[in-house]
Amino acid sequence: MKFPGCWMDLESKVIYRVVPKCACSTIGQIIYYGNHGKYFDGDIHDATTDIHKWGFTESQDHIRAAVTSGDAYIFASVRNPYSRVLSSFFDKIAGIQRNGQRYRGDLVPQLYRNYGVDVETEGFDQIASFRRFLLFVRDTIKFRKPMHPDIHWSDMSGHIGTLIENGGKLNRIISTENFAKEMVEVANSYEKKHMPELDPMPRFNESSGHGPKQEFKLEEYFDDLSRHIVYDIYKNDFDLFKYDTDPSNRKPIGEIDLDEVHARLSGK
């Protein structure tokens, strides 16, 4: 059984199924702090020791054992699909990455040539370019063309489903919109050597510093057509994680039913 995207503390007490663009940097740092009494010096995505990640061969047996035993507290975090895909645009398409380069090398020039997405002209039209980016996102998710969907905009249910399909069982799914309250509840739910100070909640690797400032309210980026496109590609995310199809309401409109999540994402 494989559990890609899983991070775990060194004591096998907590497992986090990473969902990109859903506060994963902050969550990873909180887990790291629980073992070491300090935050990782840098981006937690770059940490190669002192935390278990499925991407490390030496961590896989530890994570597999913890998942299958049912002893570890397992959780994930989700986000409003509208704000998540918009954040992906500003961070990964319009923004410059930590290495000083554009994301995925020649992706931005390809988007300009094939979809008319312009993020390099000063004062570019954010709304027009984002809506064209949505067409690209739809093509990658629905048709796997011109590439497979990137992890930053592939559906959240797909990420979480890989854990469930292989026998993992989630104890909790929290929302980034209620992050401060719900992450404290998660941190209080498993044993750790060190409890970080979570009031106020620390923030790490916020994408707002990686690209141009968002000029408009969230809902202004989505007209009727783009709302239809977002619901078409993220229907499971809206339904399972209880988000409103009206982009002016970011917060969940109901409680997540873990039994429903497990039943629908188990692949059975």
Side-chain angles (χ1 to χ4, degrees):
M1 293 177 289
K2 296 182 179 181
F3 300 100
C6 284
W7 293 356
M8 185 176 76
D9 70 315
L10 297 181
E11 305 298 324
S12 301
K13 299 296 185 182
V14 62
I15 295 172
Y16 164 53
R17 203 313 174 189
V18 177
V19 179
K21 307 305 299 175
C22 297
C24 48
S25 295
T26 300
I27 294 171
Q29 288 280 15
I30 291 170
I31 291 173
Y32 184 93
Y33 191 105
N35 278 145
H36 308 291
K38 62 180 181 179
Y39 295 116
F40 176 72
D41 185 13
D43 192 312
I44 192 65
H45 291 84
D46 297 332
T48 56
T49 60
D50 298 325
I51 187 172
H52 286 302
K53 297 179 180 178
W54 184 260
F56 306 153
T57 301
E58 61 273 20
S59 292
Q60 292 180 0
D61 285 344
H62 296 284
I63 292 174
R64 186 182 292 109
V67 173
T68 55
S69 70
D71 293 335
Y73 186 90
I74 305 177
F75 76 103
S77 177
V78 296
R79 184 178 185 179
N80 183 293
Y82 291 111
S83 58
R84 181 171 177 262
V85 72
L86 183 63
S87 177
S88 294
F89 170 75
F90 276 102
D91 182 15
K92 299 302 176 186
I93 306 303
I96 302 297
Q97 305 309 297
R98 298 196 311 274
N99 62 6
Q101 304 296 317
R102 289 287 185 183
Y103 184 59
R104 298 181 69 133
D106 64 348
L107 177 60
V108 168
Q110 287 185 45
L111 287 175
Y112 179 73
R113 290 194 303 269
N114 299 329
Y115 291 86
V117 176
D118 176 15
V119 295
E120 299 190 292
T121 301
E122 185 176 356
F124 70 91
D125 187 329
Q126 292 186 358
I127 291 177
S129 287
F130 170 69
R131 290 176 181 172
R132 291 170 180 174
F133 168 68
L134 269 184
L135 297 176
F136 165 73
V137 170
R138 177 204 60 190
D139 290 349
T140 65
I141 291 176
K142 299 278 287 185
F143 310 115
R144 299 296 195 263
K145 294 180 179 180
M147 56 179 271
H148 280 250
D150 185 90
I151 61 171
H152 296 91
W153 56 77
S154 56
D155 60 315
M156 297 179 290
S157 53
H159 286 290
I160 293 172
T162 61
L163 171 75
I164 296 172
E165 286 175 2
N166 288 311
K169 187 173 179 61
L170 289 155
N171 297 96
R172 183 80 182 265
I173 298 175
I174 65 175
S175 68
T176 61
E177 293 78 20
N178 298 312
F179 186 73
K181 173 181 178 292
E182 295 184 6
M183 190 62 217
V184 169
E185 294 171 351
V186 166
N188 287 328
S189 298
Y190 63 91
E191 295 180 21
K192 64 192 72 59
K193 292 181 178 178
H194 307 278
M195 180 66 179
E197 177 59 56
L198 300 181
D199 185 18
M201 180 66 64
R203 296 284 175 167
F204 295 88
N205 192 31
E206 292 190 79
S207 61
S208 59
H210 299 168
K213 182 180 178 181
Q214 180 179 319
E215 295 180 352
F216 306 97
K217 294 180 180 179
L218 173 70
E219 56 268 26
E220 293 182 68
Y221 289 87
F222 299 91
D223 61 3
D224 287 343
L225 178 59
S226 54
R227 286 174 61 176
H228 172 79
I229 291 171
V230 171
Y231 185 73
D232 183 45
I233 57 182
Y234 297 123
K235 184 179 186 300
N236 281 341
D237 291 349
F238 280 103
D239 294 349
L240 287 175
F241 308 130
K242 311 304 179 186
Y243 284 105
D244 198 337
T245 55
D246 181 353
S248 66
N249 177 27
R250 297 193 187 196
K251 289 195 172 186
I253 55 176
E255 295 291 328
I256 295 174
D257 184 336
L258 284 178
D259 290 336
E260 179 188 17
V261 171
H262 286 103
R264 288 181 54 179
L265 298 183
S266 65
K268 298 178 180 179

